[in-house]
């Protein structure tokens, strides 16, 4: 065929299938274990080292993740058999210690219908209909491990503002919490010979020290002290759970960070930070993206910070999660504004000094809020959607959005009305809020063209705006200088439009002068 190094032929053929390889630790010799016109998205080795539980999909592309299925095969890739063929988004799977059963994680209900919150299913390793392990449980399950006895499963459970480790009895389908606290659980794994779990805890005064816990429960043991001096070396903001009612009376939770030196009866500027997903939740602790969200810096500069778990968030049951289906911006923007109102009513937030920021689904929501209200003095939107119609053709993850919107723009009887009516660009003429837009040049999830649309709208209408693009960044910004540039630019924006004061940028550690 014709070749040209200056031309890219676009399409879904530009990828290499992902397979399992075996590498000898002593010699470095490599051997391909699986092969075929399909991809392995994830795999786990059985306890006896003889079998794999595998997530297999047609391609490694994000657009095909929802076509993944659970397979079991021998360790040489032979005797492969599919345990699911359901079109769900399976996220992980593991063979039981005796290889008789497989648990898998999927966002489904008992009828195996998609987008119902992440939960555990068990299926015989010989095949059969998967059974939901905890029907009616309501909380999302983020990760799991078979207990050594094969009779129970240990799981990290999302309860909205916190995560806990649960032990789930497979026979009785009951669950009990092994931990309790104001924290998030990070990276849990089982050390079977020690009969213990090892994990990290993110909490208000520690970013993530290591802990262990007996698999039968008991008192967790802290095994690292990396952050022992954090709360004494630095003044950290106080964190509290706050609740309020949404417009329809549903209870909404959020995490409030008080400004350093908070005095009751004094009103403070408020920054609202909106998490992504939207099927995620903000939890006690420092949270993801410590540099990106820089709450301690905001608190030190006199801001209060609210992280609301608005409708569409996980941890609060399927109805809460599914509120976005058929009307993406249904309650989420109202939930955020009701939270702001609650803090104003309590005398904490100054209604004349409000800012809002968010990334990914949080960025979509920022874009909606600035078309909905003029109450924010400044806004910052990272990787936010402007136009759902153009977005559906640009994104690498169409399927989940198809659930939300009831279809695509290119199908017969396309839901173009729904797509357009939930697009912030439709109402961009209403925006008065000075807004910063941030995008990654290599972002395939929410391509930079979405930010172009919002920026063009505000700029054309004379609204103060700025667009910054990370040339080498994707959906999640990685490079330390880029992260500092993003945070500095956003904080400078808030300082100018909310506080009417100048800001001196923080220098990235890699650029700081060496200590003498």
């Amino acid at each position: 065929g014709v070749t040209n190094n200056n031309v890219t032929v676009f399409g879904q053929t530009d990828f290499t299938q992902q397979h399992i390889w075996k590498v000898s630790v002593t010699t470095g010799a490599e051997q391909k274990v699986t092969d075929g016109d399909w991809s392995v998205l994830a795999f786990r080795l059985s306890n006896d080292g003889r079998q794999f539980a595998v997530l297999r999909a047609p391609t490694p592309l994000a657009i095909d993740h929802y076509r993944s299925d659970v397979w079991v095969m021998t360790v040489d890739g032979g005797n492969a058999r599919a345990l699911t063929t359901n079109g769900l988004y399976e996220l992980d799977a593991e063979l039981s210690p005796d290889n008789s059963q497989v648990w898998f994680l999927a966002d489904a209900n008992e009828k195996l219908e998609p987008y119902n919150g992440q939960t555990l299913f068990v299926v015989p390793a010989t095949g059969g209909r998967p059974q939901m392990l905890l029907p009616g449980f309501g909380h999302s399950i983020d990760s799991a491990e078979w207990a050594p006895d094969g009779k129970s499963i240990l799981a990290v459970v999302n309860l909205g503002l916190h995560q806990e480790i649960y032990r789930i009895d497979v026979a009785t389908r009951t669950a009990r919490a092994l931990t309790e606290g104001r924290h998030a659980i990070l990276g849990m794994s089982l050390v079977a010979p020690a009969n213990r779990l090892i994990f990290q805890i993110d909490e208000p005064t520690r970013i993530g020290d290591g802990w262990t816990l007996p698999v039968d429960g008991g008192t967790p043991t802290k095994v690292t002290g990396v952050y022992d001096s954090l709360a004494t070396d630095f003044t950290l903001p106080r964190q509290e759970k706050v609740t309020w009612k949404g417009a329809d009376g549903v209870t909404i939770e959020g995490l409030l960070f008080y400004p350093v030196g908070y005095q009751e009866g004094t009103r403070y500027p408020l920054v609202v930070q909106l998490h992504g997903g939207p099927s995620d939740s903000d939890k006690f602790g420092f949270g993801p993206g410590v540099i990106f969200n820089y709450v301690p810096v905001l608190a030190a500069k006199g801001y209060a910070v609210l992280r609301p778990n608005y409708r569409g968030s996980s941890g609060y049951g399927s109805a809460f999660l599914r509120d976005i289906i058929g009307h993406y911006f249904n309650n989420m923007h109202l939930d955020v504004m009701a939270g702001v109102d609650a803090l104003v009513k309590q005398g904490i937030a100054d209604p004349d000094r409000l800012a809002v920021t968010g990334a990914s689904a949080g960025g979509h929501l920022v874009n909606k809020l600035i078309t909905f209200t003029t109450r924010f003095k400044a806004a910052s939107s990272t990787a936010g959607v402007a136009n759902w119609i153009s977005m559906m053709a640009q994104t690498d993850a169409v399927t989940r959005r198809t659930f939300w919107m009831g279809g695509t723009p290119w199908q017969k009887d396309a839901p173009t009305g729904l797509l357009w009516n939930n697009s912030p660009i439709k109402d961009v003429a209403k925006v008065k809020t000075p807004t910063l837009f941030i995008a990654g040049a290599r972002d395939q999830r929410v391509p930079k063209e979405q930010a172009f649309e919002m920026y063009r709208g505000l700029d054309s209408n004379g609204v103060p705006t700025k667009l910054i693009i990370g040339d080498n960044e994707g959906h999640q910004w990685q490079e330390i200088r880029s992260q500092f540039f993003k945070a500095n630019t956003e904080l400078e924006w808030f300082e100018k439009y909310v506080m009417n004061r100048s800001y001196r940028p923080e220098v990235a550690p890699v650029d700081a002068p060496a200590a003498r």
Side-chain angles (χ1 to χ4, degrees), residues 135-320:
F137 185 56
H139 302 297
S140 301
I141 296 176
D142 291 336
S143 65
E145 300 275 351
W146 276 106
D149 64 6
K151 296 176 181 177
S152 54
I153 294 169
L154 301 146
V156 175
V157 175
N158 180 1
L159 294 100
L161 285 181
H162 60 123
Q163 280 170 314
E164 306 299 343
I165 297 174
Y166 275 67
R167 188 180 179 107
I168 302 164
D169 186 277
V170 175
T172 62
R173 298 194 191 186
T174 56
R176 67 182 176 95
L178 302 185
T179 61
E180 177 61 37
R182 304 189 330 150
H183 55 225
I185 305 288
L186 310 175
M188 181 190 79
S189 61
L190 172 70
V191 183
N195 217 39
R196 295 181 80 87
L197 294 167
I198 185 164
F199 50 93
Q200 289 175 278
I201 294 180
D202 179 13
E203 49 191 329
T205 58
R206 293 176 184 275
I207 295 176
D209 271 314
W211 294 70
T212 66
L213 176 72
V215 295
D216 297 322
T219 304
T221 302
K222 187 168 77 73
V223 294
T224 69
V226 177
Y227 299 105
D228 282 351
S229 64
L230 194 63
T232 51
D233 289 350
F234 299 93
T235 305
L236 299 174
R238 187 170 115 221
Q239 301 183 19
E240 276 186 11
K241 168 184 171 179
V242 287
T243 62
W244 61 92
K245 296 289 187 184
D248 57 354
V250 169
T251 298
I252 311 299
E253 291 185 340
L255 193 60
L256 175 64
F257 299 80
Y258 286 86
V260 170
Y262 172 76
Q263 293 183 326
E264 196 169 345
T266 301
R267 291 188 181 274
Y268 292 87
L270 176 71
V271 175
V272 181
Q273 288 186 343
L274 304 170
H275 67 72
S279 55
D280 197 354
S281 68
D282 274 318
K283 306 166 191 73
F284 282 103
F286 286 76
V290 174
I291 298 173
F292 239 33
N293 293 329
Y294 60 90
V295 170
V297 176
L298 288 167
K301 288 191 172 294
Y303 294 90
V305 178
L306 175 65
R307 290 178 169 174
N309 285 337
Y310 53 84
R311 225 72 61 94
S313 300
S314 56
Y316 301 97
S318 280
F320 198 96

Side-chain angles (χ1 to χ4, degrees), residues 364-515:
H364 313 343
L365 186 45
V366 170
N367 291 351
K368 171 65 177 181
L369 284 164
I370 61 175
T371 68
F372 175 76
T373 179
T374 57
R375 290 175 61 188
F376 293 104
K377 292 293 184 287
S380 174
S381 170
T382 299
V385 160
N387 182 340
W388 287 109
I389 295 176
S390 59
M391 170 70 170
M392 294 291 268
Q394 295 166 0
T395 182
D396 68 354
V398 175
T399 318
R400 178 164 285 196
R401 293 165 173 83
T402 306
F403 293 145
W404 303 339
M405 302 298 179
T408 63
W410 45 82
Q411 71 186 46
K412 189 173 185 284
D413 300 322
T416 47
L418 184 61
L419 289 160
W420 180 243
N421 289 330
N422 284 271
S423 295
I425 198 72
K426 169 179 177 281
D427 298 310
V428 75
K430 297 177 182 178
V431 178
K432 306 294 181 198
T433 305
T435 304
L436 173 68
F437 296 102
I438 300 167
R442 299 182 179 182
D443 188 349
Q444 294 181 308
R445 192 62 35 89
V446 185
K448 64 184 183 301
E449 287 72 20
Q450 292 295 311
F452 290 170
E453 292 194 31
M454 291 300 293
Y455 169 79
R456 185 75 69 199
L458 269 65
D459 189 51
S460 299
N461 291 337
V463 179
T465 187
K466 182 186 286 187
L467 170 60
I468 65 171
I469 297 171
D471 292 337
N472 297 311
E473 300 296 340
H475 195 57
Q476 305 283 349
W477 287 33
Q478 303 291 338
E479 207 277 322
I480 192 76
R481 289 183 183 88
S482 298
Q483 292 196 46
F484 264 75
F485 185 84
K486 186 268 184 193
N488 277 318
T489 306
E490 181 175 274
L491 187 48
E492 184 176 43
W493 195 261
F494 293 164
E495 290 286 272
K496 177 178 180 179
Y497 290 105
V498 178
M499 306 297 286
N500 193 29
R501 64 191 183 193
S502 59
Y503 171 71
R504 190 176 71 183
E506 189 84 20
V507 178
V510 290
D511 295 328

